[in-house]
């Protein structure tokens, strides 16, 4: 794969998660002086409201606006509306909210804007996802986190280092900053966590999935409706973020973080 040339446009697809935030930081750090780096988010209103606070903090940290671009066919930017229109919440090969709320929104942005390179939050522990994506979607993807050998936990540690508070959804025990009540999840551990922390969301997903005939959870080897899931059912533990000494402590390229907290100063010092 060739490298970006001066004047190229690089779009970072920011998902309001830790990995994509660090991917944006690393992209600006590497290419911001020679390329037009744009950070684009495909908004989904079912995400936790604190994701918007995180988005604002990241924008301020990077000193760049975050562009919002949804699928014009779904102006509400609502996963619930997508499920209703498609009469399904999951399909054998994925969820319609991913296809119409994310993939088609990205494709619509590409139709109206120049994009020479894409950056996603694929971390060093997700090389397989990156490789599948470049085989099935796009070849012009810059694997900035993989090249830097950043894991998901490294991304959380780096944000902590820069005093960027993670989206609160992580602290509540959820493994990512996706929509609350993500229909791609089948774990009883996950769904009972949703029931405990966001009972209204659980009730809404249970009602809609029952009405659409969608068995979202796998329990004792069988797919069942959410309203059939015992409240004490558990599966495998959910992976949580670990914020610890890692890449930023093994070799601190910036010295005192206060000195280079401003991104422009850090770019000049790199």
């Amino acid at each position: 794969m060739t490298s970006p040339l001066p004047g190229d446009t690089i779009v970072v697809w920011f998902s309001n998660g830790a990995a994509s935030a660090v991917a944006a930081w690393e992209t600006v750090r590497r290419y911001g002086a020679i390329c037009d780096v744009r950070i684009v988010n495909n908004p989904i209103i079912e995400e936790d409201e604190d994701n918007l606070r995180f988005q604002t903090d990241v924008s301020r940290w990077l000193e760049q606006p975050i562009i919002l671009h949804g699928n014009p066919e779904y102006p509400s930017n609502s996963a619930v509306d997508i499920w209703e229109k498609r009469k399904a919440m999951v399909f054998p090969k994925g969820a319609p909210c991913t296809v119409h709320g994310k993939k088609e929104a990205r494709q619509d942005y590409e139709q109206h804007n120049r994009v020479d390179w894409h950056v996603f939050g694929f971390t060093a522990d997700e090389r397989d996802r990156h490789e599948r994506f470049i085989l099935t979607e796009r070849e012009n993807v810059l694997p900035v986190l993989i090249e830097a050998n950043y894991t998901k936990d490294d991304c959380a540690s780096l944000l902590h280092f820069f005093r960027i508070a993670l989206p609160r959804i992580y602290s509540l025990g959820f493994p990512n900053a996706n929509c609350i009540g993500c229909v791609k999840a089948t774990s009883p551990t996950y769904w009972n966590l949703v029931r405990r922390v966001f009972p209204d969301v659980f009730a809404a997903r249970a009602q809609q999935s029952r009405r659409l005939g969608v068995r979202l959870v796998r329990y004792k080897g069988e797919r069942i409706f959410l309203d059939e899931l015992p409240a004490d059912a558990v599966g495998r533990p959910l992976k949580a973020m670990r914020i610890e000494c890692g890449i930023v402590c093994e070799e601190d390229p910036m010295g005192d973080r206060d000195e280079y907290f401003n991104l422009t100063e850090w770019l000049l010092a790199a």
Side-chain angles (χ1 to χ4, degrees), residues 10-31:
I10 305 173
V11 173
V12 182
W13 297 99
F14 175 65
S15 67
N16 287 328
S20 63
V22 175
W25 174 78
E26 183 68 14
T27 302
V28 173
R29 189 178 74 85
R30 289 189 187 188
Y31 304 111

Side-chain angles (χ1 to χ4, degrees), residues 12-235:
V12 182
W13 297 99
F14 175 65
S15 67
N16 287 328
S20 63
V22 175
W25 174 78
E26 183 68 14
T27 302
V28 173
R29 189 178 74 85
R30 289 189 187 188
Y31 304 111
I34 65 169
C35 296
D36 179 11
V37 178
R38 301 178 184 179
I39 306 168
V40 182
N41 172 259
N42 306 130
I44 298 293
I45 64 172
E46 282 76 18
E47 293 181 8
D48 184 59
E49 61 183 6
D50 188 59
N51 281 13
L52 296 179
R53 186 275 313 162
F54 180 69
Q55 185 179 113
T56 300
D57 287 352
V58 170
S59 177
R60 185 180 300 116
W61 174 45
L62 301 181
E63 299 178 343
Q64 285 202 206
I66 294 177
I67 301 165
L68 302 181
H69 190 92
N71 184 345
E73 292 190 15
Y74 296 90
S76 66
N77 298 320
S78 169
V80 171
D81 290 349
I82 292 173
W83 301 329
E84 284 296 322
K85 186 172 182 178
R86 306 306 301 179
K87 305 301 181 186
M89 300 172 86
V90 289
F91 292 124
K93 293 187 178 181
C97 44
T98 298
V99 173
H100 302 292
K102 296 292 185 179
K103 183 176 180 178
E104 290 182 357
R106 171 170 53 82
Q107 292 171 341
D108 184 77
Y109 181 87
E110 289 181 84
Q111 289 177 5
H112 298 92
N113 298 273
R114 174 181 172 181
V115 181
D116 297 305
W117 301 93
H118 300 268
V119 171
F120 297 90
F122 297 130
T123 56
D125 35 10
E126 296 178 311
R127 294 176 188 270
D128 290 345
R129 286 187 65 201
H130 168 73
E131 291 173 1
R132 284 197 303 271
F133 189 88
I134 62 176
L135 285 174
T136 60
E137 293 278 349
R138 297 284 187 279
E139 293 183 353
N140 56 334
V141 177
L142 298 172
V144 295
L145 296 181
I146 293 173
E147 289 176 350
N149 202 33
Y150 288 0
T151 66
K152 286 181 176 294
D153 292 334
D154 288 334
C155 292
S157 296
L158 189 66
L159 290 170
H160 181 69
F161 180 80
F162 278 109
R163 300 190 180 101
I164 306 295
L166 292 172
R168 71 170 179 176
I169 200 76
Y170 291 119
S171 67
L172 295 174
F174 292 88
N176 53 53
N178 291 351
C179 300
I180 302 168
C182 176
V183 297
K184 290 184 286 187
T186 62
S187 165
T189 306
Y190 173 82
W191 281 110
N192 272 330
L193 177 60
V194 176
R195 175 160 28 199
R196 291 194 302 274
V197 180
F198 299 103
D200 292 345
V201 173
F202 182 89
R205 298 288 182 274
Q207 188 275 333
Q208 187 175 25
S209 61
R210 172 66 80 168
R211 178 164 45 79
L212 295 176
V214 182
R215 292 173 169 83
L216 288 175
V217 62
R218 185 179 297 277
Y219 181 59
K220 293 185 177 180
E222 295 184 4
R223 295 292 289 255
I224 62 173
F225 288 107
L226 284 180
D227 57 19
E228 297 174 321
L229 179 66
D232 59 352
V234 295

Side-chain angles (χ1 to χ4, degrees), residues 25-26 29 148 150 158 161-162 246-261 265-270:
W25 174 78
E26 183 68 14
R29 189 178 74 85
Y150 288 0
L158 189 66
F161 180 80
F162 278 109
I247 56 170
V248 296
C249 297
E250 291 174 5
E251 182 177 355
D252 178 6
M254 294 167 288
D256 178 55
R257 62 178 150 191
D258 290 324
E259 182 179 356
Y260 294 115
F261 189 78
E265 295 177 6
W266 160 233
L267 285 169
L268 293 173

